Amino acid sequence: MKQIKVLFFSVLFLPLTITANSVDEIRIDLDSVLLKKLKKKYSFYKRKGLNKKTIIYADSILNLLKKGKENQELALAYNRVGYLHYRNKAYDKAYKNYEESKAVYKKLNDSLNVASRLLALAKLESNFDLFLKSDSTAIEVLKYSNNNPKFNEIECSTYNCLGINSRKQRVYNQAIDYYNQAIQITNDSLKRVRYIANKAVVYKYEKNYKEAVKIYEELIKNKFFDEIDLKLKFKILDNYTYTKYLLGQEINTRDFFKVQRLKDSIKDYEGLITNYSYISDYFYNKNSDKSLFYAQKMYDLSRERERPNDRIEAIDKLIKLVKGNEIRKYAIERSYLKDSIIDARRKSRNKLVKTIYNFDLLKEQKLKAEIKTEQQKSQKQLLGFAVILTVLSSLVYFFYKREKTKKEKAIEVYNTETRLSKKIHDELANDVYAVMNTLQNKAETDTKLLARVEKIYAQTRDISHENSPVLTGEHFENFLKQLFIDFTNDTCKVIHKGLKEVIVNELPKEKQIVLYRVLRELLVNMKKHSEASLVLITFSLSKKMLSVVYQDNGNGVKSLSIKSGLQNMETRIKSVGGIITFESKQEKGFQAKFHFKK
């Protein structure tokens, strides 16, 4: 307490500039000090066996841990409180804390401890004859264990619990099957003895005394018999003698009295009550005074140890053995006691059922909330997906439309150029040619005029050729090669490199047209202006990007300006989403580079 006071006043006089993190750290320190103190007190009262005080401090530890994170320590604290309430016969509180412990372990993905808590719940449900619920919980344990070696002890105990449930419901064959399962899979030889003994009890209830005696004899000869828990050992010996008596075999009464002394030596009061019952039954037809004596001892001890069911059984024996007014006295006591037991058990059972119902209801509500949250989440995701899909669709449509428009424009330009070319060739060029023929046939013709007309004809023809139809598709590569051949002569050689590798035949129609037109314009410009003797055209492909480099060794220019011819090329390349650049220096030739997606 002194340490807590020091920490309290230290916090009280801290500077006002203290940070939020510092406050949290101080709170954690205070909680840590308090937790240590509470644990110390809990251990002290537990050693002293003071249950109420032990529960108070276990609850205090739990409440303090609830303020922190959900961890192993919190789950263990819930289980500890549950066990203490079970010991104190507050079964509804025990159940509640076992459930809380299980829930924390579940969040921590600790399946071993989840299964362990479920088994504790199944046993509690079984104690109050909630057999369907207990069986359901036990089966859930088996789903967690799934024959995993780590779960062996829990799995065997679960089959044992299912066996007890079946035996209490008098479904004896099923009980034996469950015990056999536990016997078969257990890795613990001492536990196997317990399960075999439980199986013998079932045969006793079934009145198959011969089979029960056989099992008890085998157990007593078992090499592990002397190593088992003394309470179980003495119980087996007592049951063995009593079952032999029920079978009609001769027994030695000293066997009963020997076990009685052994049970008394370890203060096994429950076992002593059973022993008194067996001896009273044995002497019932042989010596009524001895039978009455042990029935009375059974009654006295069960009353002293507050075991009302055993007390009623003892009263039933006494009513058969006493005389006169005592019969009425015991009958009244039995009736009152039976009503009290039924009432108390009903209240305890109702509390437990209410606790179970509340937890099941809470689970259902949580499940509904989770489903609703998931549905809302799914709806939001669906809405988000729809928005994204709409945006993406719009973008795809936009780019598709843009590309389609570009293609349509390129085709339209091509068609216009082709139409003009044909018209120039069919009409204008023919008319100019007719005028030239007329001038040539006249006796006196102005030579300058004739030269001018010839120049006009040449220009008209060039325009017609520049805009003539392009052969696209699978023959485009050969058509392009023919272009290079057309511009190769004695004074200039046109060389191409990498054309075959880039597979220009696979290009879309509009891109084939642009490629052809641009290269033709470059070659026409070379022929008109550069006086080049060598032209190199290099094709390459990288990441679906077609690149073309045009180089000649012509005159070049001092300063390069983008005029109509170069602008046309730039416009054409841009129409297919490409880029073109030009470089030229006087006496160092001309260079053009362009690329676009294949």
Side-chain angles (χ1 to χ4, degrees):
M1 183 60 74
K2 186 177 178 183
Q3 193 175 3
I4 294 171
K5 284 179 180 177
V6 169
L7 279 167
F8 173 76
F9 285 109
S10 299
V11 172
L12 188 64
F13 294 104
L14 277 171
L16 293 174
T17 54
I18 190 167
T19 64
N21 286 339
S22 300
V23 171
D24 287 341
E25 287 171 10
I26 291 164
R27 182 184 59 77
I28 290 165
D29 287 342
L30 281 168
D31 287 350
S32 179
V33 170
L34 182 58
L35 186 62
K36 284 179 183 176
K37 188 169 183 179
L38 289 171
K39 284 181 176 178
K40 194 174 179 182
K41 287 280 187 181
Y42 163 79
S43 298
F44 173 77
Y45 287 116
K46 187 183 177 184
R47 283 196 305 273
K48 292 287 183 181
L50 300 169
N51 289 338
K52 287 184 179 179
K53 286 278 189 182
T54 307
I55 290 171
I56 288 168
Y57 280 98
D59 268 326
S60 300
I61 291 167
L62 177 58
N63 290 329
L64 189 61
L65 289 170
K66 281 181 190 178
K67 296 177 184 178
K69 295 178 180 178
E70 289 187 325
N71 53 23
Q72 291 279 347
E73 193 174 12
L74 177 63
L76 189 62
Y78 272 121
N79 186 59
R80 185 192 299 123
V81 172
Y83 177 71
L84 290 169
H85 281 305
Y86 179 83
R87 288 277 302 273
N88 207 39
K89 298 182 181 178
Y91 300 115
D92 58 318
K93 291 179 180 178
Y95 195 95
K96 179 179 179 296
N97 283 282
Y98 283 150
E99 271 283 6
E100 295 288 2
S101 177
K102 182 200 77 176
V104 177
Y105 279 126
K106 206 168 185 179
K107 286 180 182 177
L108 297 171
N109 294 318
D110 187 343
S111 54
L112 185 65
N113 275 306
V114 170
S116 179
R117 297 295 80 78
L118 282 168
L119 178 58
L121 292 168
K123 287 178 179 178
L124 246 176
E125 290 156 356
S126 174
N127 290 346
F128 282 87
D129 300 340
L130 301 170
F131 300 122
L132 286 176
K133 178 65 178 168
S134 178
D135 285 352
S136 174
T137 307
I139 287 165
E140 198 177 343
V141 177
L142 296 176
K143 286 177 183 176
Y144 272 93
S145 62
N146 198 25
N147 296 321
N148 188 324
K150 289 194 300 183
F151 289 79
N152 184 261
E153 186 178 345
I154 292 170
E155 193 172 359
C156 294
S157 296
T158 304
Y159 280 120
N160 188 56
C161 177
L162 287 165
I164 291 167
N165 289 349
S166 297
R167 192 257 299 164
K168 284 182 177 179
Q169 294 176 89
R170 299 181 183 181
V171 187
Y172 298 124
N173 288 340
Q174 193 176 72
I176 288 166
D177 286 342
Y178 282 130
Y179 287 134
N180 282 337
Q181 284 272 61
I183 292 162
Q184 186 180 346
I185 66 173
T186 186
N187 297 324
D188 189 331
S189 300
L190 302 181
K191 287 280 180 72
R192 185 177 286 108
V193 171
R194 180 180 294 278
Y195 303 143
I196 294 170
N198 286 349
K199 187 177 167 183
V201 170
V202 175
Y203 282 122
K204 182 167 78 74
Y205 274 103
E206 204 177 17
K207 296 186 179 180
N208 187 349
Y209 304 126
K210 188 176 181 181
E211 191 64 35
V213 167
K214 183 182 174 184
I215 289 172
Y216 283 130
E217 285 174 349
E218 287 173 358
L219 279 177
I220 292 165
K221 292 174 185 175
N222 191 299
K223 62 180 179 179
F224 296 105
F225 186 69
D226 288 333
E227 297 177 32
I228 64 173
D229 173 66
L230 289 177
K231 191 175 177 180
L232 176 61
K233 183 179 180 181
F234 301 154
K235 182 179 180 179
I236 290 169
L237 290 170
D238 220 5
N239 283 347
Y240 172 53
T241 305
Y242 184 65
T243 309
K244 281 200 299 180
Y245 155 70
L246 292 174
L247 184 60
Q249 291 183 359
E250 275 297 321
I251 62 164
N252 191 334
T253 53
R254 283 181 294 181
D255 292 337
F256 277 132
F257 296 123
K258 181 183 176 182
V259 172
Q260 187 180 116
R261 287 192 300 274
L262 292 169
K263 286 183 175 182
D264 190 41
S265 69
I266 62 169
K267 293 182 170 45
D268 178 11
Y269 300 114
E270 183 185 347
L272 275 172
I273 290 169
T274 303
N275 178 264
Y276 295 152
S277 173
Y278 288 171
I279 296 172
S280 177
D281 287 348
Y282 175 76
F283 283 116
Y284 183 74
N285 291 318
K286 292 181 173 64
N287 188 327
S288 59
D289 290 338
K290 283 187 178 181
S291 180
L292 176 62
F293 176 77
Y294 283 103
Q296 189 65 51
K297 282 179 77 71
M298 180 185 178
Y299 172 83
D300 293 339
L301 186 57
S302 59
R303 186 174 185 176
E304 180 189 329
R305 303 308 301 179
E306 296 181 352
R307 295 184 62 83
N309 287 316
D310 291 332
R311 188 173 158 193
I312 286 175
E313 190 182 336
I315 289 171
D316 288 339
K317 294 180 190 299
L318 289 167
I319 287 171
K320 292 178 184 177
L321 294 163
V322 296
K323 296 176 182 178
N325 292 332
E326 283 191 286
I327 295 174
R328 185 171 179 275
K329 182 189 81 171
Y330 282 125
I332 292 168
E333 184 182 350
R334 187 189 190 285
S335 177
Y336 172 78
L337 194 60
K338 188 73 175 176
D339 290 343
S340 299
I341 290 170
I342 291 169
D343 188 52
R345 188 167 179 80
R346 186 177 65 249
K347 284 179 180 177
S348 293
R349 184 185 166 106
N350 287 347
K351 278 185 180 180
L352 184 66
V353 168
K354 189 178 178 181
T355 303
I356 293 169
Y357 172 77
N358 287 339
F359 266 101
D360 287 346
L361 187 64
L362 189 63
K363 281 181 193 173
E364 189 180 343
Q365 287 171 347
K366 280 183 179 178
L367 184 62
K368 284 180 179 177
E370 284 172 9
I371 291 169
K372 191 175 180 180
T373 304
E374 283 299 317
Q375 285 175 341
Q376 289 173 346
K377 189 178 176 183
S378 297
Q379 285 171 356
K380 285 179 182 177
Q381 287 175 343
L382 192 62
L383 182 63
F385 177 73
V387 170
I388 292 167
L389 188 63
T390 304
V391 171
L392 286 174
S393 299
S394 300
L395 287 170
V396 169
Y397 179 75
F398 169 74
F399 286 114
Y400 165 75
K401 194 71 178 172
R402 191 174 71 174
E403 288 301 311
K404 188 180 178 186
T405 305
K406 279 183 182 179
K407 287 179 183 179
E408 286 172 351
K409 282 184 179 179
I411 297 296
E412 188 181 343
V413 169
Y414 168 72
N415 290 336
T416 303
E417 288 173 345
T418 305
R419 190 173 63 253
L420 286 171
S421 171
K422 191 174 183 301
K423 196 168 185 179
I424 289 166
H425 181 272
D426 293 347
E427 297 176 17
L428 185 57
N430 288 341
D431 289 345
V432 172
Y433 184 72
V435 170
M436 285 174 61
N437 280 338
T438 304
L439 290 173
Q440 284 173 348
N441 292 332
K442 283 187 180 182
E444 293 181 7
T445 303
D446 187 343
T447 54
K448 287 183 180 180
L449 179 59
L450 184 61
R452 287 177 66 189
V453 173
E454 283 182 350
K455 185 179 178 183
I456 291 168
Y457 176 75
Q459 286 174 338
T460 306
R461 187 188 58 198
D462 287 343
I463 292 168
S464 177
H465 287 166
E466 284 173 17
N467 298 290
S468 59
V470 176
L471 183 62
T472 56
E474 60 184 10
H475 301 295
F476 177 68
E477 184 183 328
N478 292 331
F479 187 70
L480 197 56
K481 286 178 180 177
Q482 186 59 48
L483 174 67
F484 303 150
I485 292 168
D486 290 344
F487 279 86
T488 300
N489 53 40
D490 295 337
T491 58
C492 180
K493 190 170 185 180
V494 179
I495 301 171
H496 62 85
K497 180 183 176 184
L499 177 60
K500 189 172 183 178
E501 286 76 9
V502 299
I503 316 174
V504 290
N505 288 343
E506 292 180 354
L507 286 172
K509 179 181 177 181
E510 69 276 5
K511 291 185 179 180
Q512 288 180 343
I513 292 166
V514 167
L515 178 60
Y516 182 86
R517 294 273 196 241
V518 170
L519 288 174
R520 194 180 191 290
E521 285 184 42
L522 286 168
L523 290 169
V524 168
N525 286 346
M526 175 274 299
K527 189 174 180 181
K528 285 181 180 179
H529 308 296
S530 71
E531 297 179 7
S533 61
L534 181 65
V535 176
L536 176 62
I537 302 172
T538 307
F539 297 85
S540 62
L541 188 65
S542 176
K543 295 180 181 178
K544 295 188 178 180
M545 187 71 74
L546 176 64
S547 298
V548 181
V549 180
Y550 168 93
Q551 296 169 288
D552 68 37
N553 64 349
N555 298 327
V557 293
K558 192 172 183 180
S559 60
L560 187 66
S561 62
I562 306 298
K563 292 184 179 180
S564 60
L566 298 182
Q567 277 182 337
N568 284 341
M569 285 185 255
E570 194 171 44
T571 304
R572 288 183 194 279
I573 291 296
K574 282 183 178 179
S575 72
V576 291
I579 297 171
I580 188 166
T581 58
F582 305 101
E583 291 179 23
S584 182
K585 288 184 181 179
Q586 200 164 12
E587 304 301 331
K588 289 189 178 180
F590 177 83
Q591 180 174 281
K593 295 179 182 177
F594 60 90
H595 62 265
F596 52 80
K597 281 188 179 179
K598 191 176 176 186

